[in-house]
Amino acid sequence: MFRMNRAMHKAIVQKGNVMTEEDARGRTPQNESDAGVVFANVTKSYGDREVLHSFNLSIGQGEMVCLLGPSGCGKSTALRCLAGFELISGGDITIGGRSITRQPPRKRGIGMVFQHYSLFPTMTVRDNVAFGLKVSRVGKDERNRRALKMLERVGLAEYADVFPNRLSGGQQQRVALARALVTNPRVLLLDEPLSALDAKIRVQLRDEIRLLQQQLGITAIFVTHDQEEALAVADRIAIMHDGAIEQIGRPQDLYEMPATAFVADFVGQSSVVETVVAADGTVRVCGQTLPLLVHLPAKTLVKVFIRPENVVFTESPDGECTVESASYLGSFTRTTAVADGVRITSQHAPGNNIDKGRKVHVSIRPEPVMAERIELRWAQDARTVKGDGDNGA
Amino acid sequence: MAGVNHAVAAVASDAAGNAEKEEYTTIQNGAWSRYDRPSLAARRIILALFFLLVALPVIGMLYFSFRSTDGGMTTSHWAELFSSAAPRALRMLNRGLGNSLAIVLVTIAIEYVVVIPTLVLLDVRFPRSRRWMRVLMLLPIAIPAIILVVGYAPVFSFIYQWISTSQWTLAFAYGIISLPFVYTTIEADLMGMNAATLTQAAESLGAGWLRTLWSVLLPGLRKSIVSCTLITAAISLGEFTIASLLNRETLQTDLIVISQSDVYLSVVVTLIILILTFVALFLVSGAGAQRRPGHGTGGRKRIPQGQEAAEVAEAAGSADVSDESRHA
């Protein structure tokens, strides 16, 4: 079972990469409505510092791809390169098979929603939405009609004659969305559109954005640092790290089969446990044998990432762990237990709580886990490894 | 990793803009709360002292303008001004005032046509220029006027020869010395309204730079353009050193000449100019205050509905119109 999982994982990870490169090379314009986006070996440097390293990404017509990563990973830069606000240093970007690298932002056929404060303060909501149509010389009646229709779609038609500063943050972002979509752009770019909003509005608006994107069938790129947001809205997620894509795939694949330790750590919550690879390529954590997603030689000191939903605590007086803390989070509870240096978290239904200080027995579902080699620096560490290795084997 | 974060943030223009904007909002939010500001009495004393300090010279001038040469009080100095047989000095002053007003108008025209659009484009297009612009823009203040004149002299000999010998050409010099004030005002407002993002939004919607400037940026800058106009007018009307050293006949140089022959008359005229200036200031700042806020924080504000909303919008619109007409 473990081998099959690893093979499957490898296949999925590779499929993502192969698809990207193939599309980058071989895409030709099929028809006018095709608005797939391809980044082919795009680099971007500021002076001698490269912030995007041969960035390859292919997005199909009507697909929503999230660029997810910590701040400073280059996800916003990639989006701004596509929008034309940054000039790329190398490579090519195409929309619908045509290169837009040399085109100014206004000719690229994009609609963009910014983080916040992007509505024109001196125009009413209606004029804001109609601005793009006015620029492209649509008649006054026509553009007011279309602006109002788009405002209806985002549920703000009654605010058409109000100035933006009278709207709440969520309403302002809805107007920004309407403004970006009213011109029928080929690609919708969303640059952390929800990060300035309250948690509740954030969830609501993100679902609305996704629904609208699917209804209109528009190609979209959504930049975010919030993994929950990305998992909820994206067709595919590209995890970015240090100016390159670490892994791209469907949300579920990323979560269940992370290609690298960075992805495993970044997507979802994990308990990080230090342990040693046994002779058969598995690891032992809290007395359980767990298969690994990657192949590592025996006796390697590793960090493994264990998902809290795979951990079950059962209260027992001779349990090997002690409950350290429990946080009630509404629909579930997260309990953390410790045992000689290992700290492990379980996520479970809120009903069966275990009080702080109780002894628990840990069982971990034997799903394959991601592991990362720990580089040794000190002799002290080497000695510890030896001891642990003996225990593990 | 942290290094990369930091470096990216430092370079990416929008990030820089955001950081600065955050600073701006903190300053706004960090204003004195009602619990730790000075007491009411203390505030009143401070305010009274301030007004006293400002008013003292004016009161002194007013008192002086009613003094007669023999030590008693008289209204003859004021009467002289309005008498039908206006002295020669007054006719001279008329000319000086005319010249000064022409200079003010040309300076403001230069401001509107050249300076403001240039500063806006520079700030939005090359946000990194702010670093050296801030230093550069201090130079007209940092360099004493007397040294500026040394530099201006050859420039103006060229202007006399090729453009015009009229008095209004002094506006070229005043356009430069008012730059620091114009730049600071415009730059602060651009930052406050998040001009970089607005420009990108307009661009992504298909607008070229001219339309972005005209329909997005300049309308948002109305308030600071009004204050720029005021400052420029004040500088152009009040400047003496350069005008005098370049042998120009403006209000200020003529006032000095008059004060040498009739000191009472010069004080009376100065007082009148002061009063007119105050009136003008109140009118313009009153017009500015009526305007709806330029940019919102998106906070929880009362949202007008239906009919009410239309009224609000209409009121805001008509206020704008009246501002513009008054301004024009």
Side-chain angles (χ1 to χ4, degrees), chain A residues 143-168:
Chain A
R143 66 174 187 254
N144 279 341
R145 194 184 57 76
R146 278 170 66 181
L148 208 61
K149 213 172 133 197
M150 198 41 95
L151 279 171
E152 265 164 29
R153 281 198 100 130
V154 297
L156 286 173
E158 70 263 44
Y159 297 114
D161 296 310
V162 168
F163 284 93
N165 62 352
R166 305 236 168 210
L167 301 181
S168 70

Side-chain angles (χ1 to χ4, degrees), chain A residues 99-313:
Chain A
S99 171
I100 51 149
T101 307
R102 304 258 158 261
Q103 282 178 339
R106 65 196 162 92
K107 298 227 169 110
R108 294 191 177 194
I110 50 160
M112 184 147 174
V113 179
F114 298 83
Q115 198 167 346
H116 54 174
Y117 298 121
S118 75
L119 294 183
F120 307 133
T122 52
M123 297 182 198
T124 61
V125 164
R126 185 206 312 268
D127 289 346
N128 259 284
V129 177
F131 182 80
L133 297 171
K134 191 176 174 187
V135 169
S136 48
R137 293 171 203 282
V138 176
K140 192 173 182 186
D141 293 340
E142 168 75 2
R143 66 174 187 254
N144 279 341
R145 194 184 57 76
R146 278 170 66 181
L148 208 61
K149 213 172 133 197
M150 198 41 95
L151 279 171
E152 265 164 29
R153 281 198 100 130
V154 297
L156 286 173
E158 70 263 44
Y159 297 114
D161 296 310
V162 168
F163 284 93
N165 62 352
R166 305 236 168 210
L167 301 181
S168 70
Q171 287 170 326
Q172 288 193 27
Q173 286 305 67
R174 283 205 178 106
V175 175
L177 187 66
R179 185 180 65 177
L181 287 171
V182 78
T183 51
N184 294 327
R186 294 192 290 171
V187 185
L188 177 64
L189 309 182
L190 302 136
D191 189 3
E192 309 219 10
L194 308 173
S195 56
L197 305 178
D198 301 342
K200 194 167 181 183
I201 307 281
R202 198 152 59 205
V203 171
Q204 199 182 339
L205 192 52
R206 121 196 144 190
D207 295 341
E208 280 181 39
I209 289 175
R210 174 60 164 164
L211 195 67
L212 203 57
Q213 181 264 335
Q214 284 176 323
Q215 282 171 354
L216 297 171
I218 187 173
T219 312
I221 303 183
F222 193 121
V223 166
T224 179
H225 61 260
D226 181 342
Q227 42 141 329
E228 195 191 319
E229 213 165 276
L231 291 170
V233 300
D235 289 311
R236 282 191 299 155
I237 299 176
I239 307 280
M240 288 190 66
H241 180 44
D242 272 345
I245 292 183
E246 190 96 357
Q247 185 181 1
I248 180 164
R250 294 186 305 137
Q252 203 184 339
D253 296 337
L254 289 182
Y255 189 80
E256 289 169 4
M257 316 235 164
T260 64
F262 176 81
V263 176
D265 195 25
F266 193 77
V267 180
Q269 302 261 341
S270 299
S271 306
V272 182
V273 177
E274 287 187 16
T275 182
V276 168
V277 180
D280 61 350
T282 61
V283 289
R284 282 181 73 78
V285 178
C286 296
Q288 320 263 314
T289 304
L290 301 173
L292 289 181
L293 277 169
V294 286
H295 180 75
L296 286 167
K299 294 199 174 177
T300 315
L301 179 61
V302 289
K303 282 193 278 191
V304 295
F305 299 88
I306 298 165
R307 300 288 187 201
E309 62 270 24
N310 289 337
V311 178
V312 178
F313 293 156

Side-chain angles (χ1 to χ4, degrees), chain B residues 58-267:
Chain B
V58 181
I59 294 167
M61 282 164 76
L62 199 64
Y63 174 70
F64 181 76
S65 73
F66 287 105
R67 286 265 305 268
S68 67
T69 36
D70 55 12
M73 302 298 279
T74 173
T75 55
S76 66
H77 308 308
W78 286 83
E80 194 184 345
L81 192 69
F82 301 104
S83 68
S84 53
R88 204 179 65 85
L90 218 54
R91 287 199 298 278
M92 184 172 137
L93 206 60
N94 245 342
R95 189 200 53 190
L97 186 65
N99 287 343
S100 276
L101 288 179
I103 291 169
V104 168
L105 288 181
V106 177
T107 314
I108 289 172
I110 292 174
E111 210 100 277
Y112 284 4
V113 177
V114 184
V115 177
I116 291 177
T118 313
L119 288 182
V120 171
L121 285 177
L122 194 70
D123 203 78
V124 172
R125 279 279 163 221
F126 308 99
R128 273 185 281 175
S129 70
R130 275 181 211 141
R131 217 175 306 158
W132 50 266
M133 278 297 278
R134 278 180 190 149
V135 179
L136 196 70
M137 284 294 140
L138 280 181
L139 291 184
I141 305 182
I143 299 174
I146 196 123
I147 295 172
L148 277 180
V149 170
V150 176
Y152 279 146
V155 178
F156 272 90
S157 76
F158 172 85
I159 290 173
Y160 295 156
Q161 204 174 345
W162 297 103
I163 300 176
S164 169
T165 50
S166 314
Q167 300 288 335
W168 63 260
T169 52
L170 204 53
F172 294 135
Y174 292 172
I176 300 291
I177 59 169
S178 56
L179 262 182
F181 307 97
V182 176
Y183 178 74
T184 337
T185 319
I186 297 273
E187 198 226 1
D189 219 15
L190 281 175
M191 225 180 269
M193 70 189 236
N194 216 7
T197 310
L198 292 185
T199 308
Q200 287 171 358
E203 274 185 326
S204 74
L205 291 165
W209 67 268
L210 203 61
R211 184 185 283 273
T212 307
L213 187 69
W214 187 251
S215 0
V216 175
L217 296 177
L218 289 183
L221 285 175
R222 261 194 219 152
K223 231 175 199 167
S224 55
I225 289 176
V226 169
S227 34
C228 281
T229 312
L230 280 177
I231 294 169
T232 309
I235 289 173
S236 314
L237 271 180
E239 209 288 327
F240 171 72
T241 322
I242 294 174
S244 168
L245 291 173
L246 287 173
N247 292 322
R248 293 314 179 99
E249 289 150 346
T250 64
L251 186 64
Q252 298 301 324
T253 59
D254 284 355
L255 267 178
I256 294 294
V257 172
I258 291 167
S259 70
Q260 281 156 4
S261 61
D262 185 348
V263 69
Y264 292 103
L265 187 64
S266 77
V267 170

Side-chain angles (χ1 to χ4, degrees), chain B residues 31-40 43:
Chain B
W32 268 342
S33 80
R34 50 191 291 204
Y35 298 106
D36 56 3
R37 64 189 174 194
S39 72
L40 188 66
R43 269 182 285 154

Side-chain angles (χ1 to χ4, degrees), chain A residues 49 72, chain B residues 1-11:
Chain A
R49 213 166 32 78
Chain B
M1 189 62 220
V4 171
N5 288 351
H6 180 73
V8 169
V11 168

